[in-house]
Amino acid sequence: MKNCVVPLLALIATAALQTSSLAATFDWPQWRGPNRDDVSKETGLLKSWPAEGPKQLWVYDNAGLGYSGPAIVNGRLYTLGLRGETEFLIALDANTGKEIWAAQMGPRYPNDWGDGPRGTPTVDGDRIYGLSGQGYLVCVKNDGKVMWTKSMTDLSGKVERWGYTESPLVDGNKVVCTPGGAKGAIAAFDKMTGKLLWQTKEFTDGAQYSSLIAANHNGGRQYIQLTMKSIVGVDANNGRVLWREDWPGETAVIPTPIFSNGHVYVTSGYGVGSKLVKIGPGNRTSEVYFNKVMKNHHGGVILVNGYLYGHSDGAGWVCQKFDTGEEVWSYRGFGKGAVAYADGMLYCLEEGGGTVVLVEASPKGWNEKGRFKLAPQTTQRSKRGKIWTHPVISNGKLYLRDQELLHCYDVKAM
């Protein structure tokens, strides 16, 4: 009997490890990941890259035109793209890049900086939600069947200069987005039927290009959004405005707000800067700081261990202290672009030439651990367009997009 104990224990341990391995999936179901903060909880990734960069696994060449990012769940990748005169929600095998289906969303959104959709789809169970450039909110089942469609212009929304760029928020039984306009800037729909549940009649700002986030605070659930004129929190149950702060937006307001420990951080470009708002008892707000340390255009800002990282127009790549707003360091040796975070590292994508760098996320300074150049690159990009789709890290893979070309790289450590 004793001779059987060790093999039996080894078998149990092996089975436990296998179960743990199977359970440890790091899906990316929506814009900026599971928590809409561009922070992955994944570990076991490369901490440095070889001279040629990480191994490229596949390139898919029919994602269509546009700047939509990927959402990845259960081995499938979903994105939006323009083919001909129609925008599609497209499903691929995330491991091979093979197309599974494509569902029509609406007509082409035309723009001098590049035609096509801008938002990232959101995956919830067996349904996927996407917002087209012209403002069609579409619910598609995971077999490619369109379940319902709603138009933002029917809700008083207006297609702004760069179209609708929001990535829909799915929360509980609702899908929420920002049509903007006189009937209410923010709207919530029943995610199964598309029925309008509420619209924020007392908050009527025009839509900009930011995406909503959800937060639990002061004993309730609220949705937080940034527009040209406002930072606002509304009650998730009915859309009632809980608090509002002024925001002096210029030209375009794009980055997603960040919520942490009862505080909301926002930033935008065109010389505006960044602001931290404290949401106190009774949802009374106060400004903690407003400065120009971070002027993030659209590449995103990431909060890690009390420090913010992102590109600031005119200053280069910046590390900013979240609670005080002070600059910790700045670095001008790498061009403007987008950023994501995983396993202690920043993945920075330079928008002009497509160079990708791996950098330690540290308040000590810019410490680069490898770089490579995205290849091949599209020949279909507008002359005014750049590589604006944010990097995504999911299940040991790095996903990058340049218009119709979707790239997948292996970044898992051996």
Side-chain angles (χ1 to χ4, degrees):
M1 185 67 177
K2 288 182 179 179
N3 291 336
C4 297
V5 173
V6 173
L8 181 60
L9 290 173
L11 183 62
I12 292 170
T14 301
L17 285 171
Q18 289 174 341
T19 303
S20 173
S21 176
L22 289 170
T25 57
F26 295 93
D27 287 343
W28 196 269
Q30 60 179 332
W31 166 243
R32 286 172 62 87
N35 298 312
R36 293 204 155 202
D37 56 7
D38 256 330
V39 172
S40 169
K41 304 296 185 184
E42 190 164 354
T43 58
L45 304 179
L46 291 170
K47 294 302 180 74
S48 63
W49 289 340
E52 68 277 11
K55 179 182 178 182
Q56 188 176 75
L57 297 177
W58 52 261
V59 179
Y60 172 69
D61 64 1
N62 196 27
L65 300 183
Y67 299 101
S68 174
I72 299 149
V73 173
N74 293 332
R76 283 194 179 183
L77 182 153
Y78 303 92
T79 193
L80 314 180
L82 172 69
R83 294 172 174 175
E85 294 298 311
T86 304
E87 295 183 6
F88 287 84
L89 197 161
I90 302 165
L92 308 177
D93 184 310
N95 296 309
T96 66
K98 302 297 183 184
E99 183 173 322
I100 300 170
W101 50 256
Q104 294 189 20
M105 296 183 68
R108 174 178 69 98
Y109 168 69
N111 186 267
D112 287 347
W113 285 263
D115 297 348
R118 273 90 163 116
T120 295
T122 300
V123 185
D124 180 71
D126 66 351
R127 297 192 176 206
I128 306 96
Y129 301 83
L131 186 64
S132 78
Q134 295 277 17
Y136 291 97
L137 177 64
V138 178
C139 170
V140 182
K141 216 167 177 192
N142 63 3
D143 60 1
K145 180 181 178 182
V146 177
M147 305 304 292
W148 53 261
T149 301
K150 297 292 177 179
S151 171
M152 297 300 99
T153 56
D154 289 344
L155 299 171
S156 76
K158 175 188 174 184
V159 182
E160 297 290 343
R161 185 178 183 185
W162 286 284
Y164 279 97
T165 71
E166 188 174 16
S167 303
L169 172 68
V170 179
D171 187 55
N173 69 327
K174 299 183 290 294
V175 55
V176 193
C177 58
T178 312
K183 291 182 181 180
I186 301 170
F189 304 85
D190 183 295
K191 71 179 183 182
M192 301 305 289
T193 66
K195 177 185 176 182
L196 181 66
L197 299 177
W198 52 254
Q199 203 166 350
T200 56
K201 294 180 180 179
E202 58 181 332
F203 176 59
T204 57
D205 283 13
Q208 273 290 291
Y209 309 100
S210 182
S211 292
L212 286 155
I213 61 170
N216 292 319
H217 189 59
N218 286 334
R221 187 80 162 164
Q222 56 181 264
Y223 301 139
I224 299 168
Q225 181 58 297
L226 177 66
T227 68
M228 184 67 79
K229 299 187 295 183
S230 308
I231 315 162
V232 67
V234 304
D235 191 316
N237 294 314
N238 51 35
R240 180 174 63 88
V241 173
L242 298 174
W243 58 269
R244 180 189 167 278
E245 285 269 331
D246 289 338
W247 182 250
E250 291 287 343
T251 307
V253 172
I254 304 168
T256 300
I258 295 172
F259 176 86
S260 179
N261 194 29
H263 292 73
V264 176
Y265 174 92
V266 295
T267 179
S268 65
Y270 300 96
V272 175
S274 59
K275 180 174 180 175
L276 187 69
V277 175
K278 180 181 179 181
I279 311 172
N283 290 307
R284 292 184 294 273
T285 58
S286 58
E287 180 182 300
V288 180
Y289 60 79
F290 178 37
N291 63 37
K292 297 182 183 295
V293 170
M294 185 74 75
K295 303 181 291 293
N296 186 259
H297 187 192
H298 49 56
V301 175
I302 292 172
L303 174 62
V304 179
N305 297 326
Y307 296 92
L308 297 151
Y309 301 91
H311 186 275
S312 179
D313 288 347
W317 290 85
V318 166
C319 173
Q320 182 183 24
K321 218 173 170 203
F322 178 79
D323 58 355
T324 66
E326 66 184 296
E327 180 181 308
V328 181
W329 56 256
S330 62
Y331 178 75
R332 296 175 181 267
F334 186 67
K336 175 181 176 179
V339 61
Y341 169 92
D343 200 15
M345 309 300 286
L346 302 174
Y347 293 70
C348 304
L349 169 64
E350 187 263 323
E351 65 178 32
T355 298
V356 189
V357 300
L358 186 69
V359 180
E360 288 185 355
S362 169
K364 295 179 181 179
W366 178 278
N367 186 11
E368 190 175 316
K369 293 295 184 177
R371 67 167 57 197
F372 70 97
K373 190 164 186 175
L374 188 65
Q377 293 187 20
T378 184
T379 59
Q380 300 187 55
R381 192 189 316 129
S382 164
K383 290 181 179 179
R384 302 185 74 175
K386 299 183 186 296
I387 304 174
W388 285 324
T389 303
H390 290 210
V392 164
I393 306 100
S394 177
N395 295 309
K397 299 178 180 66
L398 168 64
Y399 297 90
L400 301 168
R401 180 174 178 177
D402 181 17
Q403 298 296 314
E404 82 283 4
L405 300 178
L406 188 58
H407 302 247
C408 177
Y409 295 85
D410 183 3
V411 292
K412 189 77 174 175
M414 297 298 291

